Amino acid sequence: MVNVAVINYGQLNDYAAMLPEHVSGLHVFSHHPLAATAGFAHYEHVPDCEFVPYAELRLRELARDRLFDHVVTDNEYDLERVARLRSHLGVPGQTPDSALSFRDKVVMKEVAGKRVRTPRFAGLGTFADLLDFVDDVGYPVVVKPRKQGGSRDITVLRDAGELTAFSRRHWRDDLMAEEFVDGEVHHVDAVLADGFRFVSCSRYLRSCLGVFSGQNNGSLQLHPGDPVAVELTAFLDECLAAFDTPAVSAYHLEVFRTARGELLLCEIASRVGGARIPALTRATYGLDLLPTWLRLSTGLPVADPPRGAPDRLRGAVAIVPPGRAVRAPGRPPFAWVTEYEVNTALAAGAVAQNSTSHLCWAMVEGRDTAEVEARLWETEAWLTANLVADAP
């Protein structure tokens, strides 16, 4: 029997469906309760699992009586933890140093900068370090945590007044500063292994930071033959050449593209893309990112990656919580809206907490990127105009 240790985050993940060959050897510790756990060797729901070390302790204890063959996670915030477990248990896969280089954005840019361009950046030990960086680089400056995701806790300082306001906040010791890059933001999503290669390139509709000022977000796929997609794919390969990479991994790369066509690394994570990216990938390419990554990571076969270019492309737009009591409308009345979902768990009057916060989202399809983009704007306009005000 193959024993697989899993630290899980996703509320809807079905490991019995994704890894049926390993069900009797699954040892799952989950941040959220999971529905399909029958037949697992071990299962525990651990509230706040990604914040407490209990799962790491219990898996080390369980390893005294059994040999673990694989240790995996679906959660970016657990990548370093499972890497430590692999190292302790002698299990192959991503190492602690590799995991750190994809999690700590200062280390990430120090490593990646050996092969690709990055914005100017600096780790911040004290507020004086920020002042020195502003003096060197000028405004605007981006200040963000080194290991956070989803655009959480990011601040853009555009002038001395905003710097003064920032100086009145509680200082934290996990920050970095980065020069602001004006341009498009693209994302590249990949699963790579010996004998397996899948890469998809997309462009965000707006900056991910826009949700905090009330802008909706989303992205649209590029045709694999698009010259920008070809450049982005080459950028991914060049970037990864700087890192210590495991034999099997997934990547979510974000890249700035300036008005002059220059590409600069925003960040790269060694996990599958989140939010609507898996749904878009599944609809266009017939490939499930997470199951593919997990099956390859645990030695199981997968279907060959899709060959050739897709005949349709897709994009998605999400309406962010507007901070007032409204409900999402019904499904948009367009034949090219192929999926529509309302976030029923959202509290009334909620505001955006991160770049994935949404009231509802819609997927559209089209013959090419231009048609998809036009349909996304039309869908966004319809959804925004048809929000339903709740009675006070």
Side-chain angles (χ1 to χ4, degrees), residues 28-178:
V28 180
F29 294 81
S30 182
H31 184 97
H32 296 287
L34 297 178
T37 62
F40 288 6
H42 188 98
Y43 166 75
E44 290 188 52
H45 167 221
V46 184
D48 296 327
C49 185
E50 70 177 0
F51 304 111
V52 301
Y54 171 77
E56 190 170 359
L57 171 67
R58 285 292 292 127
L59 282 168
R60 288 176 67 140
E61 292 174 344
L62 289 170
R64 297 170 187 164
D65 301 319
R66 61 191 50 75
L67 174 67
F68 279 104
D69 302 278
H70 307 284
V71 184
V72 297
T73 184
D74 70 318
N75 185 22
E76 177 172 354
Y77 298 99
D78 280 313
L79 289 173
E80 290 182 86
R81 190 189 326 199
V82 298
R84 289 194 300 269
L85 281 166
R86 290 192 196 100
S87 179
H88 175 74
L89 301 176
V91 174
Q94 187 175 42
T95 65
D97 285 346
S98 174
L100 176 67
S101 69
F102 287 99
R103 287 281 299 123
D104 186 313
K105 294 176 176 60
V106 170
V107 178
M108 177 193 301
K109 287 183 166 63
E110 290 173 343
V111 172
K114 300 171 185 176
R115 301 297 293 256
V116 298
R117 287 194 61 200
T118 73
R120 287 174 289 177
F121 68 94
L124 302 179
T126 67
F127 187 72
D129 295 329
L130 175 58
L131 296 178
D132 291 341
F133 188 80
V134 171
D135 286 343
D136 290 342
V137 174
Y139 294 107
V141 165
V142 180
V143 181
K144 58 186 176 182
R146 295 168 63 142
K147 290 188 178 184
Q148 193 56 275
S151 299
R152 296 172 179 87
D153 302 329
I154 293 180
T155 302
V156 180
L157 305 177
R158 300 184 183 277
D159 54 39
E162 292 187 351
L163 176 64
T164 299
F166 186 77
S167 74
R168 294 180 180 276
R169 300 185 191 177
H170 287 206
W171 180 257
R172 46 192 291 180
D173 58 6
D174 64 338
L175 297 176
M176 68 173 292
E178 184 175 285

Side-chain angles (χ1 to χ4, degrees), residues 12 104 138 149 151 196 217 377:
L12 302 179
D104 186 313
S151 299
F196 187 95
N217 66 5
W377 294 127

